Amino acid sequence: MTRYISILIVALTALFAMPVPVCASAHDESGENSKIDPKEIIFEHLGDGYGWEVPFDHHHRIPLPVIVFGSDGLHIFSSARVTGGKEYVDGNTTFKIAGKDSPHKGKVVEIVDGKEIKPIDISITKNVCALFITLILVAGLMLWLANYLKRNPYKAPRKGLGAIEALLIFIYDGVVKSTLGKDAPRFAPYLLTVFFFIFGMNLLGLMVVFPGGANLTGNIAVTLVLAILTFLVTNLYANKHYWKEIFWPDVPIWLKFPLPIMQVIEVFGIFTKPAALTVRLFANMMGGHMIVLVLTLLIFIFAAISPAVGAATTVVSLLFSIFMLLIDVLVSFIQAYVFTMLSTIFISLAQQHEEHKEKAESHEAAVAAHATK
């Protein structure tokens, strides 16, 4: 009986986690059949937007606030006023969302003398809203755990709170402390925040039901900001030995003077590290979402060819989609872990030279003292 219940739970999870709004994409707003555009559907679900998709309804969205600086000042209005091809007149200014043929496709534009002009846009889009939601969830869970441990210093939490504590200890002891040593307490707040923030974004991105569905870590702008933060922490808190190895490394003199060959390579390496962090997280999460979307779209593509082929494809695609979603849960953890681990290593490389030098000097002093006896 337990086995059947588990199968039912997995099936229901897959049903609600799959990009089900695709089902409505075979019809236009008038209810008539229209040709499915897989590319358009995939990039629509992976991209940002001014509203949150409603499950099982491709044509209605939860509106979000649009905040733009137009030619005559600040304008704030609901995204519902400009969705579905509608135009919104605010005072003497007209706004709309640019169509497919516009260079500003999918963005709110201002219409001036029949021309589309892109205003300064600081709207609360789906990705921005998802960032706030993830921030609130992660901060809430951490404060909940801290409050529990403060009230019960000698009692271990259980269930969900216990799992969060175990995960926190695993990352701190297994990654941060084992790599940074005595510097672990100094950088642990940032590194643990990065891990749980990325992990939270990844898990929420696997759901299409609000508050999930935003492909945050599949957005290169988000991963780039996270990588830049690691870049700043690494280089702003680096010690003098780190910079000495950058600008005057321990290599033969002809490799660094008169032509600064090694210096150029080392400086280039400073920027390739955050670039690798950016692309690694972005590509892996984007790829996982895209595979699930493609597998789901196969159902409708083959159903348009033949009902029999569509029925057979439905079973296969559903099974593969469930499998990929389960894999994506594991990948969500792995990518958060890898980003945190690499960030820890980069920070440690900027901290460890002085420690190694002190150990070497103490070792040399001990050898000298032993030799004099």
Side-chain angles (χ1 to χ4, degrees):
M1 185 65 180
T2 305
R3 181 182 300 176
Y4 292 116
I5 294 175
S6 301
I7 294 173
L8 179 62
I9 291 174
V10 171
L12 290 174
T13 302
L15 177 63
F16 284 100
M18 287 171 59
V20 290
V22 173
C23 302
S25 62
H27 301 278
D28 56 23
E29 293 183 359
S30 62
E32 297 178 356
N33 291 335
S34 60
K35 186 178 179 180
I36 295 177
D37 186 351
K39 178 182 175 181
E40 187 71 22
I41 293 171
I42 289 173
F43 282 98
E44 180 181 354
H45 285 282
L46 293 180
D48 201 359
Y50 292 96
W52 216 295
E53 292 85 356
V54 177
F56 303 102
D57 190 344
H58 191 62
H59 304 295
H60 295 86
R61 296 191 175 200
I62 301 172
L64 295 171
V66 176
I67 307 172
V68 293
F69 285 93
S71 57
D72 58 346
L74 177 65
H75 296 266
I76 303 175
F77 53 90
S78 171
S79 63
R81 297 180 180 273
V82 290
T83 54
K86 295 184 293 185
E87 295 184 357
Y88 172 63
V89 179
D90 188 9
N92 297 322
T93 311
T94 303
F95 296 97
K96 74 171 186 177
I97 295 180
K100 298 180 180 179
D101 300 328
S102 172
H104 309 298
K105 174 185 174 183
K107 302 297 182 181
V108 170
V109 294
E110 178 184 353
I111 301 175
V112 179
D113 297 329
K115 297 181 179 179
E116 296 180 353
I117 300 176
K118 191 175 184 303
I120 299 175
D121 193 345
I122 56 171
S123 302
I124 307 297
T125 61
K126 182 175 70 173
N127 282 352
V128 175
C129 185
L131 280 172
F132 291 152
I133 291 172
T134 307
L135 175 63
I136 292 171
L137 288 176
V138 172
L141 289 173
M142 293 300 105
L143 290 173
W144 182 25
L145 177 60
N147 186 51
Y148 179 90
L149 295 176
K150 185 177 180 180
R151 290 185 290 106
N152 305 279
Y154 303 107
K155 183 179 179 182
R158 297 185 178 184
K159 298 182 179 180
L161 200 59
I164 295 172
E165 185 195 34
L167 188 58
L168 188 149
I169 293 174
F170 171 73
I171 297 299
Y172 180 77
D173 290 343
V175 178
V176 181
K177 189 175 181 180
S178 63
T179 305
L180 290 172
K182 65 179 183 180
D183 291 321
R186 185 183 180 192
F187 297 101
Y190 167 71
L191 294 168
L192 291 173
T193 300
V194 164
F195 172 80
F196 282 100
F197 191 61
I198 294 175
F199 191 35
M201 288 191 295
N202 290 346
L203 291 180
L204 286 177
L206 297 179
M207 304 181 295
V208 296
V209 181
F210 184 84
N215 184 32
L216 287 175
T217 46
N219 186 323
I220 197 168
V222 175
T223 60
L224 177 61
V225 170
L226 292 172
I228 289 175
L229 291 176
T230 294
F231 170 81
L232 292 175
V233 172
T234 300
N235 292 282
L236 291 179
Y237 292 94
N239 56 40
K240 61 182 180 181
H241 301 281
Y242 170 79
W243 293 112
K244 184 260 180 185
E245 290 297 322
I246 296 294
F247 294 107
W248 198 256
D250 293 328
V251 295
I253 189 66
W254 61 270
L255 288 175
K256 53 189 177 182
F257 182 82
L259 294 177
I261 299 174
M262 289 304 301
Q263 288 93 326
V264 172
I265 294 175
E266 292 292 342
V267 171
F268 183 73
I270 293 176
F271 296 97
T272 56
K273 292 172 184 176
L277 287 177
T278 301
V279 175
R280 180 189 299 273
L281 180 58
F282 160 74
N284 281 281
M285 298 312 301
M286 172 69 82
H289 287 281
M290 191 170 291
I291 289 173
V292 175
L293 284 167
V294 170
L295 289 172
T296 306
L297 281 171
L298 287 177
I299 298 173
F300 305 101
I301 294 172
F302 283 103
I305 300 174
S306 169
V309 176
T313 306
T314 299
V315 177
V316 177
S317 295
L318 180 61
L319 292 176
F320 272 104
S321 295
I322 294 173
F323 173 74
M324 283 306 304
L325 285 167
L326 295 176
I327 292 296
D328 277 345
V329 173
L330 178 61
V331 171
S332 297
F333 168 78
I334 292 174
Q335 291 305 315
Y337 178 85
V338 169
F339 191 99
T340 307
M341 180 183 66
L342 292 177
S343 296
T344 307
I345 292 173
F346 296 157
I347 293 172
S348 70
L349 291 175
Q351 302 292 322
Q352 68 178 356
H353 299 287
E354 184 175 4
E355 180 182 351
H356 286 180
K357 183 179 179 181
E358 291 175 355
K359 288 182 178 179
E361 289 177 349
S362 62
H363 177 71
E364 291 175 359
V367 171
H370 180 73
T372 57
K373 292 182 179 180

